[in-house]
């Protein structure tokens, strides 16, 4: 399979040159030397231009999207190209840790699905260690009482689920599994070097009209159409949306399915923090990190030639600087509140994106939870480690969970939830002292991290374009289908392949229809 992919990925110019030079070995009279020379003279400059790799590539953003892009760009364009990664804050972006009581905890993207093959590959290739996410006991709180509580006994949980919801939990698992099976096709496409010029085109290649249609309806509409009950939607599906994306069942069906996949077992994270993947990808790709903010990008002619390049103006601690790049990858949200990059003198102008990113507050509290807040008497043993919530206008939290450090130690493994522990709370606004006193019987430290965490989903969704200009690519448009570490890595791989094929004119590797059937036939 690797040989087939390598063959397909060769520059178009190289393939043409191969055909010209092998004509002389075919039966029949060879090409007359003057004619062969004429052909080479005519084709030579074009072939030379097509085959020359870019000199410098800029990647704007040092999160999982940008560092994945630097990794895949290095793979495709080779060791000679210079890759510069711009990051104004810390490498990792929305993957970050926060120190609480001397230990680091995941404050951003926290869990990785067992079928996230790009993340698995990174961890293996970068020689990082993984940690299994601890399986605690979960409860669902509706603002008055717990409508569902997990037991430590598997058979009791099964009986409870069937008693409350019939076999809908199993049906939901099968529904999500069918979507995941189709989504997994992306790895085969990318292993054969195929790329897509739009997010919608990528999704359609994976799941046809079903996948693109999911962007235009809510997860509520999708599951109602599939016959799920209101009770199940309110008490199981809604809490999953609230904990994973801070929103309700009004989000689009595709991101809703991604959220439900997080209810699977086998979730994991990276020891030392998921941000370590970004740090190591940057090192592995031998990209040069520029700690600064990109101010604007403008198309310029290269000195001494007709080739165009992109001039990036950026600010560092040493002042304002400029540099020229052949290709630009934007791996940061093009939103005035988040990156504020201007595109100067482009014709037609590069559009501004005004999509709203959802505000989320992550609060870490070292304390003892107040059982009575969740409708339990003070004599009850509080055994739950994860409490999700239904939609209730009076609720001021989305979820609350006991968390373990990113470097796990033995004494953090088996603490009962009623003991002093570190709790992680998701909410839309900062928690007041009065709210903290309601949630906790006692506490001795509080720390919070605010995020523009993920898009505010409101279908129908239209994903921003991947190609902003001839050689400017935008990775973050995929977030409007679904925001996740793996989605960013997929977008990075796709953009690197797209940039490579468009640089070398390999149009047959872009936006091919019927890929699934084609690859099944070839294999």
């Amino acid at each position: 399979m690797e040989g087939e992919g390598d063959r397909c990925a060769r520059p178009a110019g190289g393939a043409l040159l191969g055909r010209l030079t092998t004509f002389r070995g075919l039966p029949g009279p060879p090409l007359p030397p003057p004619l062969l020379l004429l052909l080479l003279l005519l084709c030579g400059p074009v072939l030379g231009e097509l085959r020359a790799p870019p000199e410098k590539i800029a990647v704007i953003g040092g999160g999982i999207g940008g560092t994945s892009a630097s990794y895949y760009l290095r793979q495709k364009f080779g060791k000679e190209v210079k890759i510069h990664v711009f990051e104004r804050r810390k490498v990792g972006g929305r993957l970050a840790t926060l120190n609480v009581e001397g230990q680091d905890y995941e404050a951003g993207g926290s869990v990785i699905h067992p079928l996230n093959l790009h993340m698995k590959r990174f961890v293996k290739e970068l020689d990082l260690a993984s940690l299994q996410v601890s399986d605690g006991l979960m409860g669902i709180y509706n603002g008055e009482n717990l409508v569902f509580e997990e037991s430590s006994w598997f058979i009791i949980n099964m009986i409870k689920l069937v008693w409350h919801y019939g076999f809908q939990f199993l049906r939901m698992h099968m529904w999500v599994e069918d979507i995941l099976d189709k989504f997994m096709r992306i790895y085969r496409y990318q292993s054969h070097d195929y790329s897509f010029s739009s997010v919608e085109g990528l999704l359609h290649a994976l799941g046809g009209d079903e996948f693109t249609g999911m962007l235009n309806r809510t997860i509520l509409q999708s599951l109602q159409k599939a016959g799920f009950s209101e009770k199940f939607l309110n008490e199981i599906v809604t809490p999953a949306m609230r904990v994973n994306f801070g929103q309700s069942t009004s989000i689009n069906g595709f991101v809703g399915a991604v959220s439900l996949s997080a209810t699977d077992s086998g979730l994991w994270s990276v020891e030392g923090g998921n941000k370590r993947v970004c740090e190591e990808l940057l090192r592995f790709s031998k990209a040069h990190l520029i700690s600064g903010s990109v101010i604007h990008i403008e198309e310029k002619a290269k000195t001494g030639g007709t080739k165009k390049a992109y001039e990036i103006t950026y600010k560092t601690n040493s002042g304002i600087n400029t540099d020229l790049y052949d290709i630009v990858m934007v791996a940061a949200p093009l939103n005035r509140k988040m990156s504020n990059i201007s595109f100067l003198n482009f014709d037609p102008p590069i559009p501004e994106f005004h999509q709203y990113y959802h505000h989320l507050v992550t609060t870490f509290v070292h304390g003892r939870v107040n059982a009575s807040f969740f409708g339990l008497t003070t004599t009850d043993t509080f055994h739950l480690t994860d409490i999700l919530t239904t939609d209730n206008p009076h609720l001021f939290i989305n979820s609350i969970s006991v968390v373990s450090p990113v470097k796990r130690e033995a004494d953090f493994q088996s603490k009962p939830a009623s003991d002093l522990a570190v709790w992680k709370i998701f909410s839309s606004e900062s928690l007041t002292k009065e709210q903290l006193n309601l949630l906790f019987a006692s506490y001795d430290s509080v720390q919070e991290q605010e995020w523009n965490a993920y898009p505010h989903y409101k279908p129908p969704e239209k994903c921003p374009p991947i190609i902003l200009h001839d050689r400017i690519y935008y990775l973050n448009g995929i977030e409007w289908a679904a925001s996740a570490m793996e989605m960013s890595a997929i977008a990075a791989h796709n953009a690197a392949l797209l940039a490579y094929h468009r640089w070398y004119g390999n149009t047959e590797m872009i936006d091919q229809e019927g890929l699934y059937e084609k690859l099944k036939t070839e294999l």
Side-chain angles (χ1 to χ4, degrees), residues 97-317:
T97 57
L98 197 65
N99 191 276
V100 181
E101 300 290 317
Q103 295 281 347
D104 288 334
Y105 295 84
E106 291 285 7
S110 300
V111 295
I112 304 167
H113 195 277
L115 295 180
N116 288 170
L117 300 191
H118 282 312
M119 294 300 293
K120 288 177 75 172
R121 175 187 180 178
F122 294 156
V123 167
K124 182 178 180 181
E125 189 158 353
L126 300 171
D127 199 24
L128 298 170
S130 61
L131 295 171
Q132 289 300 121
V133 174
S134 300
D135 289 327
L137 298 178
M138 182 266 295
I140 306 292
Y141 180 58
N142 68 0
E144 297 178 1
N145 51 61
L146 292 163
V147 295
F148 184 83
E149 293 180 65
E150 270 192 311
S151 165
S152 55
W153 293 87
F154 176 79
I155 188 64
I156 293 177
N157 282 331
M158 291 298 100
I159 292 170
K160 281 185 173 183
L161 285 170
V162 173
W163 178 262
H164 283 282
Y165 311 109
F167 291 98
Q168 293 186 88
F169 209 93
L170 177 61
R171 286 183 55 223
M172 183 192 78
H173 176 76
M174 294 170 66
W175 184 82
V176 172
E177 194 174 62
D178 178 62
I179 291 170
L180 285 176
D181 284 345
K182 292 172 182 172
F183 184 76
M184 294 289 287
R185 295 171 182 174
I186 189 61
Y187 302 112
R188 176 176 287 187
Y189 298 166
Q190 292 189 335
S191 72
H192 286 75
D193 274 9
Y194 288 102
S195 61
F196 303 91
S197 62
S198 70
V199 175
E200 286 85 356
L202 185 153
L203 292 177
H204 194 271
L206 300 178
D209 293 342
E210 176 192 359
F211 272 25
T212 51
M214 291 175 78
L215 298 180
N216 298 320
R217 58 178 178 269
T218 66
I219 185 65
L220 178 64
Q221 291 167 334
S222 295
L223 293 178
Q224 281 176 333
K225 184 179 178 182
F228 290 90
S229 71
E230 291 301 311
K231 179 178 174 65
F232 184 79
L233 294 172
N234 291 336
E235 295 181 5
I236 297 296
V237 176
T238 297
M241 304 303 116
R242 285 170 62 84
V243 68
N244 291 319
F245 290 99
Q247 297 158 74
S248 189
T249 51
S250 59
I251 67 178
N252 78 62
F254 189 82
V255 72
V258 170
S259 180
L260 291 174
S261 72
T263 61
D264 288 348
S265 59
L267 301 177
W268 58 283
S269 61
V270 178
E271 186 173 11
N274 294 327
K275 67 178 183 180
R276 290 203 62 211
V277 176
C278 303
E279 295 165 350
E280 292 303 308
L281 283 171
L282 190 65
R283 180 191 62 80
F284 193 85
S285 66
K286 294 181 170 57
H288 174 61
L289 176 65
I290 297 176
S291 299
S293 301
V294 173
I295 301 170
H296 55 75
I297 303 171
E298 186 173 4
E299 190 180 30
K300 295 276 187 176
K302 275 192 171 181
T303 306
T306 57
K307 274 189 176 181
K308 294 288 182 113
Y310 298 105
E311 183 181 76
I312 292 183
T313 301
Y314 59 97
K315 182 180 181 181
T316 65
N317 290 336

Side-chain angles (χ1 to χ4, degrees), residues 262-491:
T263 61
D264 288 348
S265 59
L267 301 177
W268 58 283
S269 61
V270 178
E271 186 173 11
N274 294 327
K275 67 178 183 180
R276 290 203 62 211
V277 176
C278 303
E279 295 165 350
E280 292 303 308
L281 283 171
L282 190 65
R283 180 191 62 80
F284 193 85
S285 66
K286 294 181 170 57
H288 174 61
L289 176 65
I290 297 176
S291 299
S293 301
V294 173
I295 301 170
H296 55 75
I297 303 171
E298 186 173 4
E299 190 180 30
K300 295 276 187 176
K302 275 192 171 181
T303 306
T306 57
K307 274 189 176 181
K308 294 288 182 113
Y310 298 105
E311 183 181 76
I312 292 183
T313 301
Y314 59 97
K315 182 180 181 181
T316 65
N317 290 336
S318 62
I320 304 295
N321 306 273
T322 62
D323 211 340
L324 287 175
Y325 297 91
D326 297 298
I327 295 172
V328 176
M329 293 269 174
V330 181
L334 284 176
N335 175 298
R336 287 295 177 194
K337 291 184 178 179
M338 299 179 73
S339 56
N340 200 26
I341 299 170
S342 298
F343 295 88
L344 304 181
N345 304 319
F346 283 90
D347 186 19
I350 291 175
E352 291 190 17
F353 304 108
H354 300 290
Q355 289 109 326
Y356 169 62
Y357 273 71
H358 198 81
H359 180 256
L360 178 77
V361 180
T362 305
T363 306
F364 291 89
V365 178
H366 186 241
R368 290 184 175 86
V369 79
N370 178 15
S372 64
F373 179 83
F374 299 101
L376 302 173
T377 65
T378 52
T379 56
D380 289 332
T381 301
F382 195 80
H383 59 284
L384 301 176
T385 57
D386 299 272
I387 300 174
L388 314 185
T389 61
T390 64
D391 270 339
N392 184 323
H394 302 296
L395 273 172
F396 52 85
I397 63 169
N398 296 338
S399 65
I400 177 170
S401 304
V402 175
V403 287
S404 298
V406 295
K407 288 188 176 178
R408 205 157 297 168
E409 297 178 7
D411 60 338
F412 284 93
Q413 297 291 324
S414 55
K415 282 189 175 185
S418 54
D419 282 359
L420 195 66
V422 175
W423 294 84
K424 183 179 184 179
I425 303 144
F426 290 143
S427 59
S428 57
E429 301 295 338
S430 295
L431 299 177
T432 65
K433 189 173 182 180
E434 291 76 13
Q435 290 169 339
L436 288 168
N437 289 335
L438 288 172
L439 277 174
F440 292 92
S442 63
Y443 60 91
D444 50 34
S445 72
V446 178
Q447 292 199 60
E448 71 172 32
Q449 172 75 59
E450 293 191 56
W451 298 103
N452 287 316
Y454 23 63
H456 183 80
Y457 294 104
K458 190 176 181 181
E461 308 281 13
K462 181 169 175 56
C463 299
I466 296 174
I467 302 170
L468 298 182
H469 194 255
D470 185 29
R471 285 172 279 117
I472 302 180
Y473 302 90
Y474 184 38
L475 275 63
N476 288 66
I478 204 166
E479 287 195 275
W480 296 95
S483 180
M485 285 178 260
E486 187 72 4
M487 294 296 285
S488 293
I490 286 168

